[in-house]
Amino acid sequence: RDRGEQPHPHREVLLMVWLGASQPGRYSGSESAFKRPSAPPVTHALTVKQPWAGLIAWQDSRAKRVENRANPIPRKHVGKRIAIHAGRGWDARVVSMLAHDPRFEDIPSDLLDKAQARRGVIVATARLEACWGGEDDPRSADRWVNAMGHHWLLADVRPIKIDIEVRGQLGIWTLPPEAVQRLRATGVA
């Protein structure tokens, strides 16, 4: 504005509307005129045995981003964010398989250590991005894809550092309300 120009008579009200303040003269800087709708809460989970769950939660370009299942993702869950729940079980054959396959020699040993594995808790959230079956798809070249079944692509994986204990189930299941609240409180989901 030019130096000789007078401020708009409703300047404070206009700023208040623009900045989203609730009262004139009380804009704190933390309020927003453009409030984004909050993301829907994560209400469903998928239980995965360890060490697989830890390999999904691992924040590395080499992490497991494909979950192999007998069935495709139910349509209503495609594109939705779910919790990755580490089951209480331990898949010992996986450790042996990964240890003897040169494609997996770059996996840190702590991810394959039964004593260090978090079990019975939510370890991450992920978006169920896509699902495909068969070996003809170019995505089937991923080292985490096995030859049979359906391959669920996990995107935008976010690890959960606190232990949210829940009892797992088969397939995609509904989280108890307390777990949904605790997950939401992490700010990660």
Side-chain angles (χ1 to χ4, degrees):
R1 142 182 139 212
D2 292 340
R3 293 209 182 256
E5 190 177 315
Q6 294 296 317
H8 191 282
H10 303 292
R11 180 175 181 260
E12 188 172 7
V13 173
L14 291 172
L15 276 173
M16 182 181 81
V17 170
W18 175 251
L19 298 173
S22 53
Q23 296 177 16
R26 299 213 182 234
Y27 176 65
S28 66
S30 63
E31 302 170 51
S32 172
F34 303 105
K35 295 192 188 294
R36 291 183 182 171
S38 60
V42 175
T43 58
H44 290 82
L46 177 67
T47 298
V48 181
K49 281 185 181 179
Q50 284 287 27
W52 294 124
L55 291 165
I56 290 170
W58 182 30
Q59 289 298 288
D60 191 278
S61 62
R62 303 163 291 172
K64 185 177 191 291
R65 293 296 181 256
V66 176
E67 174 61 12
N68 300 293
R69 294 281 165 152
N71 298 312
I73 302 171
R75 283 184 195 254
K76 68 180 182 179
H77 295 295
V78 174
K80 300 287 181 8
R81 180 164 290 285
I82 63 164
I84 304 298
H85 174 261
R88 294 196 185 276
W90 178 262
D91 197 344
R93 66 185 174 85
V94 170
V95 177
S96 176
M97 178 194 79
L98 295 178
H100 294 93
D101 189 330
R103 295 177 303 159
F104 300 103
E105 63 188 18
D106 59 345
I107 294 175
S109 59
D110 63 319
L111 289 174
L112 304 176
D113 184 355
K114 185 176 181 178
Q116 293 186 46
R118 295 169 60 208
R119 294 189 275 171
V121 298
I122 296 169
V123 295
T125 64
R127 192 176 60 252
L128 294 174
E129 185 71 17
C131 181
W132 74 96
E135 297 177 31
D136 296 337
D137 192 292
R139 295 172 289 194
S140 294
D142 186 293
R143 69 179 179 170
W144 298 106
V145 172
N146 68 18
M148 300 173 60
H150 296 273
H151 317 296
W152 298 14
L153 181 61
L154 306 172
D156 191 22
V157 175
R158 302 174 188 170
I160 303 294
K161 301 295 184 190
I162 65 166
D163 287 347
I164 301 173
E165 290 189 47
V166 286
R167 185 180 183 131
Q169 298 177 32
L170 296 176
I172 295 179
W173 49 278
T174 303
L175 286 165
E178 312 82 54
V180 172
Q181 288 176 340
R182 289 198 63 207
L183 193 56
R184 187 142 199 174
T186 67
V188 175

